[in-house]
Amino acid sequence: SLQDELNRNILEGLLQFIRKCSSTFRHNADDWVSRMRASEIPTAALVLGVNVPDHDMTFQSLCELLQQSVTPHVASLQAKECGALKHLMQRVLERLMGTAVSVDDDEEEEEEDGGGRPGTTQPRRRGANCTLAALCEWYEHKTRKSSTPGKKRSSADEDEPQRPPIVIIFKDLEAFNPRVLQDFILIC
């Protein structure tokens, strides 16, 4: 159908944009202009309209295509689960790392360690810390550890390991708290 063809063209355009941004960062790291642009976050907007009932299917297709052809590091978020910056960071890390991530709340810590009573501390299993440093450490480990076997690399790529981009999708961007988004962008 015409709608399917339009969706396919739009998604392919997004994939090409992400590939181009990723390869620009990888190949021109010594170029002055590229170093200046390193402080920019490549951004694409996909506006689907308000009356389209299959937004979830479109975003699911986009996530799958990204994971298959560009990067395994894709996090898809909704505003209702990211009311504060710490929750947004927690969701990003959980989706990317595939593990529980702890948010440092004093109340939660007191409950987990026995309420602060002496001698009642219990061993607790905590997830990764909810920080950008934890994400960076995880990414460094993942990209250092994993090389893509079976794929041929050009001689220019031999020196440097593949570093696929991290893609974060805000499904309902207009519903996010602007302050939360602003703070997230500033720390990235």
Side-chain angles (χ1 to χ4, degrees):
S1 79
L2 179 61
Q3 185 66 39
D4 291 338
E5 182 65 27
L6 287 173
N7 283 346
R8 201 171 10 263
N9 290 340
I10 289 169
L11 293 180
E12 186 55 41
L14 283 169
L15 292 174
Q16 287 175 355
F17 170 76
I18 294 167
R19 284 186 198 113
K20 179 181 173 192
C21 291
S22 176
S23 69
T24 300
F25 280 117
R26 230 188 336 256
H27 296 302
N28 298 329
D30 295 331
D31 179 6
W32 180 82
V33 174
S34 296
R35 285 195 312 264
M36 295 309 292
R37 286 200 174 149
S39 64
E40 297 176 0
I41 300 173
T43 306
L46 176 60
V47 181
L48 297 176
V50 293
N51 294 325
V52 179
D54 57 354
H55 286 177
D56 285 336
M57 284 183 9
T58 302
F59 282 113
Q60 184 63 35
S61 295
L62 177 59
C63 287
E64 289 170 3
L65 286 169
L66 283 167
Q67 290 172 330
Q68 291 168 4
S69 65
V70 179
T71 179
H73 312 304
V74 179
S76 182
L77 308 171
Q78 289 185 297
K80 66 183 178 185
E81 57 190 5
C82 303
L85 179 61
K86 65 183 177 182
H87 297 122
L88 190 149
M89 285 296 297
Q90 180 181 24
R91 296 297 177 258
V92 166
L93 271 67
E94 285 175 348
R95 304 272 158 73
L96 292 172
M97 300 166 100
T99 186
V101 177
S102 63
V103 176
D104 290 331
D105 285 342
D106 294 335
E107 298 163 5
E108 290 177 4
E109 287 181 15
E110 284 181 16
E111 288 174 14
E112 291 179 80
D113 70 7
R117 294 178 301 220
T120 60
T121 57
Q122 303 168 11
R124 57 185 173 192
R125 184 185 155 126
R126 301 201 67 181
N129 288 327
C130 185
T131 64
L132 191 59
L135 176 61
C136 291
E137 183 180 311
W138 169 84
Y139 182 74
E140 287 295 324
H141 176 72
K142 285 297 255 188
T143 57
R144 191 173 349 123
K145 179 178 118 177
S146 66
S147 60
T148 50
K151 284 192 178 181
K152 293 183 181 179
R153 292 185 182 173
S154 67
S155 59
D157 289 340
E158 294 285 340
D159 303 343
E160 189 174 322
Q162 293 289 351
R163 298 185 65 117
I166 292 176
V167 176
I168 301 172
I169 298 172
F170 298 98
K171 288 184 178 180
D172 50 351
L173 183 68
E174 70 283 352
F176 275 81
N177 179 332
R179 184 69 184 173
V180 170
L181 285 175
Q182 180 182 8
D183 290 346
F184 179 71
I185 291 167
L186 287 173
I187 65 171
C188 287

